[in-house]
Amino acid sequence: MKRFALYISIILLAACRSNKEVYMFTSFHEPGKDGLHFLYSYDGYKWDSLRGSFLHPQMGKDKIMRDPSMVKGPDGTFHLVWTSSWKGDKGFGYTSSKDLQHWRPQQFIPVMEQEPTTVNVWAPELFYDEEGKQFIIIWASCIPGRFEKGIEAEDNNHRMYYTTTKDFQTFSPAKLLLDPGFSVIDAVIVQTGSQAYTLVLKDNTRNERDLKVAFAQHPLGPYQDVSAPFTGKLTEGPTVLKAGKDWLIYYDDYGNKRYGAVATTDFRTFRDINASIIIPEGHKHGTVFKVRRKILDKLK
């Protein structure tokens, strides 16, 4: 009986370990030709790399994979979108997987085909809307002459757009998500409470090029009260995770050729936590999501 009890305890301990969730971080390496890379972490602060590329890009004019964004749907499927070209594409790449090893055929989602002068579609970002039971995809595009020029060139004056889908087969027409009065890219939606959403965004104007936040009661806005910057200049590609009571905002500190991070509890005051994080060199603009430990163990 003692041996049997020990055997059952070992099985339960192993099952508990395999079902525990860990953090993973999508990544790409410059110039984006070799595809999808992953980092992983058990605490959200210290990260290690998984070796090699897990998916090679096949979509778009340039056939690159930059800014990979991953979200897990309610059925456990992982959905991935990415920037497929610097310029010339009117959409982005998409695929999905159950285990992050075997992928469905890649697709090109032409979200801006109704806008023939669209310069680019950058950094698509996924968000699952629990209330609406739908996926929201947001991205930055430039349509020359559409908005007040400001200090940016006409082919670099971006705004944020969105589409929604329940099945990644049919998509709502692209609509404007955010026009803050300046060129904006690299935005991510974070739900912080019931009817409480924060948009972390990059002010891409030449005199700024830093990260700010805006707030809304619904995931599709309207987002208001754009903040002062909470990072230094030459920062972009934010992603957000919850670790204990803190929200951690990771970002590509490309001016210093590293990844940086801040912590916040309210998205109004921010603490520099760069001394507390470890990010391998070469990691670029991705997003954090969670997986069961057994999925990570198989990838390793």
Side-chain angles (χ1 to χ4, degrees), residues 198-212:
T198 298
L199 191 70
V200 186
L201 59 100
K202 179 186 180 183
D203 181 337
N204 199 43
T205 52
R206 299 302 91 182
N207 58 329
E208 293 285 342
R209 288 184 285 182
D210 47 34
L211 299 184
K212 300 177 177 180

Side-chain angles (χ1 to χ4, degrees), residues 10-148:
I10 291 172
I11 291 176
L12 291 174
L13 183 62
C16 181
R17 179 180 181 274
S18 68
N19 285 323
K20 184 177 180 180
E21 288 193 317
V22 297
Y23 298 100
M24 288 191 64
F25 206 150
T26 60
S27 171
F28 76 93
H29 293 175
E30 293 287 8
K33 291 285 188 180
D34 65 335
L36 178 65
H37 292 261
F38 287 127
L39 304 175
Y40 66 93
S41 174
Y42 300 113
D43 63 2
Y45 289 85
K46 295 175 174 59
W47 299 83
D48 287 315
S49 298
L50 289 174
R51 290 186 179 182
S53 172
F54 289 82
L55 181 68
H56 294 278
Q58 302 169 0
M59 297 293 103
K61 178 176 66 69
D62 295 342
K63 291 182 173 56
I64 58 174
M65 180 180 287
R66 301 179 68 87
D67 324 314
S69 173
M70 182 89 72
V71 72
K72 183 169 67 173
D75 66 347
T77 299
F78 296 97
H79 299 276
L80 175 72
V81 294
W82 65 91
T83 303
S84 56
S85 292
W86 277 103
K87 293 184 178 181
D89 280 359
K90 293 181 175 60
F92 49 77
Y94 164 74
T95 188
S96 64
S97 174
K98 287 287 190 180
D99 59 5
L100 304 180
Q101 297 183 79
H102 304 92
W103 301 88
R104 294 187 63 81
Q106 296 177 35
Q107 301 176 47
F108 183 76
I109 311 299
V111 288
M112 295 296 282
E113 62 181 347
Q114 82 285 358
E115 294 285 358
T117 62
T118 299
V119 174
N120 54 359
V121 174
W122 280 356
E125 188 77 26
L126 282 161
F127 176 80
Y128 184 70
D129 174 14
E130 292 280 358
E131 183 178 344
K133 305 300 179 186
Q134 63 183 353
F135 296 90
I136 298 171
I137 311 170
I138 64 176
W139 67 90
S141 281
C142 175
I143 304 175
R146 180 64 53 86
F147 300 97
E148 185 177 350

